[in-house]
Amino acid sequence: IMGYLKWLGHAAFEVELMGKRILIDPWISNPNSPVTLSELSKVDFILVTHDHSDHLGETVQIANKTNATVVSIFELAVYLAEKEGVKNTIGMNIGGPVKLTNEIEVYMTPALHSSTHGSPAGFIVKSPEAVIYHAGDTGLFSDMELIGRLYKPDLALLPIGGYFTMSPREAAYAVSLINPRAVVPMHYNTFPQIRQDPEEFKNLAESLAPHVKVYVMKPGDVLNLPIK
């Protein structure tokens, strides 16, 4: 079974690793989404970086329909279980690992942002097929270098929209700190405040970290894993 990563627009991704299907920040009703809720029938895990509506998205509906396990910061998991009726939750915190299966581990990383329930976060998803770093919504911070050294991500998913997160300039610098094998920009062009040119990010990232491959994806595009 080959793994893959599919961009669903904004910060939403569908990832298949070791035969398990994982959604990250599934705001499926975003204006650029290539899929509808009804198309998401098999989901094993949903990772939520923080509780803003453009990241929590349709987590509750998808979890109720598919029995997926929702993984998030502790306070958000408690809220989803107690107030939204989500059956299967894992409430974790920043640090290290929670085993989702024998072959897939997740680590939660800091993110410089805000949220209502608990702290905002990012995720490292580690499996034999790939190590993926979804940074969540974040500004630039120097410990991204530590994240890179500790987890050696094959693929980093970084926000470039500015206004609420890093813009292309900060995100390109983040690439040089994290030093992944490849990077995908996200969280841009969904609404007017975060309008950006991903090619500007690509050019800046390639000048700062020429050995890192930059994939500018369109919503619906798929990257095969492991990254070649």
Side-chain angles (χ1 to χ4, degrees):
I1 315 162
M2 285 293 288
Y4 68 81
L5 173 125
K6 179 180 184 179
W7 190 30
L8 305 180
H10 202 57
F13 289 86
E14 177 182 305
V15 186
E16 183 130 340
L17 291 169
M18 311 309 290
K20 296 293 182 190
R21 189 161 300 163
I22 300 167
L23 294 181
I24 309 176
D25 285 357
W27 181 33
I28 305 305
S29 60
N30 80 76
N32 302 322
S33 175
V35 296
T36 60
L37 269 181
S38 58
E39 289 171 70
L40 297 170
S41 50
K42 178 196 180 292
V43 182
D44 297 295
F45 299 97
I46 302 170
L47 309 186
V48 182
T49 61
H50 65 298
D51 62 9
H52 290 167
S53 59
D54 59 326
H55 294 261
L56 184 59
E58 285 77 38
T59 292
V60 173
Q61 294 96 302
I62 298 165
N64 288 344
K65 188 176 93 165
T66 63
N67 276 329
T69 298
V70 178
V71 184
S72 70
I73 198 100
F74 178 78
E75 291 81 359
L76 179 55
V78 169
Y79 166 79
L80 291 173
E82 291 180 355
K83 298 286 191 283
E84 299 287 353
V86 175
K87 286 195 280 294
N88 306 309
T89 59
I90 295 175
M92 62 181 298
N93 222 305
I94 289 160
V98 169
K99 268 185 158 340
L100 299 186
T101 69
N102 282 336
E103 300 169 310
I104 304 170
E105 292 180 333
V106 291
Y107 300 74
M108 205 171 244
T109 62
L112 289 185
H113 196 59
S114 64
S115 59
T116 305
H117 298 92
S119 308
F123 282 102
I124 295 281
V125 184
K126 191 176 182 186
S127 82
E129 283 179 314
V131 178
I132 298 168
Y133 172 35
H134 187 298
D137 272 5
T138 189
L140 181 64
F141 57 98
S142 60
D143 281 352
M144 285 177 169
E145 185 177 356
L146 205 54
I147 291 168
R149 279 160 57 182
L150 257 178
Y151 306 114
K152 299 182 169 49
D154 299 299
L155 185 58
L157 313 172
L158 301 181
I160 68 161
Y163 205 91
F164 302 107
T165 68
M166 299 186 288
S167 72
R169 182 165 174 247
E170 288 92 357
Y173 199 84
V175 174
S176 73
L177 292 178
I178 300 159
N179 202 23
R181 292 177 64 185
V183 63
V184 170
M186 63 170 182
H187 205 276
Y188 66 96
N189 290 358
T190 324
F191 19 81
Q193 298 103 309
I194 60 169
R195 185 149 299 291
Q196 296 289 352
D197 178 4
E199 292 302 323
E200 182 195 347
F201 164 73
K202 186 176 197 280
N203 294 336
L204 286 166
E206 285 172 347
S207 67
L208 284 168
H211 50 286
V212 178
K213 181 95 178 90
V214 181
Y215 292 101
V216 173
M217 298 177 77
K218 293 186 190 69
D221 283 359
V222 171
L223 268 184
N224 288 322
L225 303 172
I227 298 278
K228 293 286 179 277

